[in-house]
Structure formats: structure tokens, C-alpha cells
Amino acid sequence: MTRNTSNLKRRSFLKKVVQVCSAIGFVASMVLYWLYVFPKQRGKRKIVYVYACATDDLPDRGVKHFFVDYPLHGRTVTKKIFIVNTHTADLFALSGVCTHLGCLVRWDRRARRFQCPCHQGQYNLSGEVVAGPPPAPLQRMMLKIDNDRVLVGLMV
């Protein structure tokens, strides 16, 4: 008889362990689901317009790169940008940072592509991925002209 009572105690203990683990798993999955559906906003980001160049320095046709300085968390950060003038679309600005691993891209005039030297990522004139591992196009940035000054909008 002690054997049966021992088996019953063990069985009821294991049953409780399975129930507790199932409850923990259910609660954890609900928390993860909640975080996925309602992500926490990490502070409100805003667009800050910074000086890129004078209107006289804009490319007549094609691509020209610039470095802009902007404030971020109490320090000054420098970012590489490209201003593109295709004459078929409006003037626009692209980030000079590859979307794969954050390397700085360069414009290859002969190939008419932005190229990343790190992992051979390539983007067309519009900043869309045409080759390599980048997961997304180059970031397009707001551009406005105010009193012969070209300003680029950066998210900070």
C-alpha cells in the first residue's frame, strides 16, 4: 500500500508541476504578445531641420554628398547625406548610411549606383536596393529650401 500512495503523491506532484509550468508559459506568451501588439514608444521623436548647403551648391543634375552636423542627446553628431537631382522628380535627400550594417555608402558615377564597401550592397539612384544584403532602401529625408539655404530634416 505504501507503494501506491507513493506513486499517487509523485503523480499528483508531477501534475502540479506541469500545471504551474503551463500557467507560466501562458502568462509569458500573453506578455510577449502584448509587447508585440502595443510596443512601448521610446519617447517622441521629432524632425529637426539642419543646414546642408547653400542653394548654389546643389547639384545641377546627379548626386552630391554633404556632411551635416546636428544635436543628439547633448552632443553633436555628423551624418553623411546625398542630395539627388534627377530633373524627372523633385529634389530629394538620402541618408549615406547603409541599411545593412551602418557603413557609409558612396556614389559611383560610372555605375550610377550607391555602393557600400563593406558587403557589396548596392542601391539605385532612388535609394532602392538592387544588389547585396541590405534589407531596406536608403532612408529618404525631408528637404526644404529657406532663404537660399537647403535644410535637411533628421529624426532625433
Side-chain angles (χ1 to χ4, degrees):
M1 196 152 261
T2 57
R3 188 177 219 179
N4 284 343
T5 57
S6 174
N7 282 343
L8 287 175
K9 287 181 181 179
R10 186 178 299 144
R11 190 172 289 160
S12 67
F13 173 75
L14 290 175
K15 189 176 179 181
K16 293 281 187 199
V17 168
V18 168
Q19 289 173 344
V20 167
C21 288
S22 297
I24 290 172
F26 176 75
V27 169
S29 65
M30 293 309 296
V31 167
L32 291 174
Y33 173 77
W34 183 267
L35 291 174
Y36 177 75
V37 173
F38 303 105
K40 179 181 177 184
Q41 291 186 349
R42 305 213 184 267
K44 298 285 183 179
R45 294 181 72 185
K46 61 180 179 175
I47 296 178
V48 173
Y49 283 91
V50 296
Y51 175 79
C53 66
T55 54
D56 295 339
D57 294 331
L58 287 172
D60 294 331
R61 185 177 189 98
V63 178
K64 195 169 184 182
H65 79 273
F66 299 92
F67 290 95
V68 296
D69 295 328
Y70 64 100
L72 183 65
H73 305 300
R75 61 188 179 104
T76 301
V77 177
T78 301
K79 184 173 182 117
K80 183 178 185 179
I81 64 161
F82 293 95
I83 297 181
V84 181
N85 187 354
T86 62
H87 284 296
T88 57
D90 291 332
L91 196 67
F92 61 92
L94 295 172
S95 171
V97 178
C98 180
T99 58
H100 177 231
L101 291 177
C103 302
L104 294 180
V105 298
R106 62 181 175 79
W107 172 249
D108 185 338
R109 192 175 2 181
R110 288 190 190 123
R112 296 194 47 79
R113 290 187 175 179
F114 294 100
Q115 297 181 339
C116 178
C118 300
H119 299 102
Q120 284 67 51
Q122 295 183 16
Y123 306 87
N124 65 15
L125 187 62
S126 299
E128 298 164 350
V129 179
V130 293
L138 292 174
Q139 179 188 5
R140 204 173 263 234
M141 296 179 285
M142 304 291 285
L143 189 71
K144 69 179 182 179
I145 298 174
D146 184 28
N147 293 330
D148 293 331
R149 295 169 28 107
V150 179
L151 304 173
V152 177
L154 301 172
M155 293 294 287
V156 293

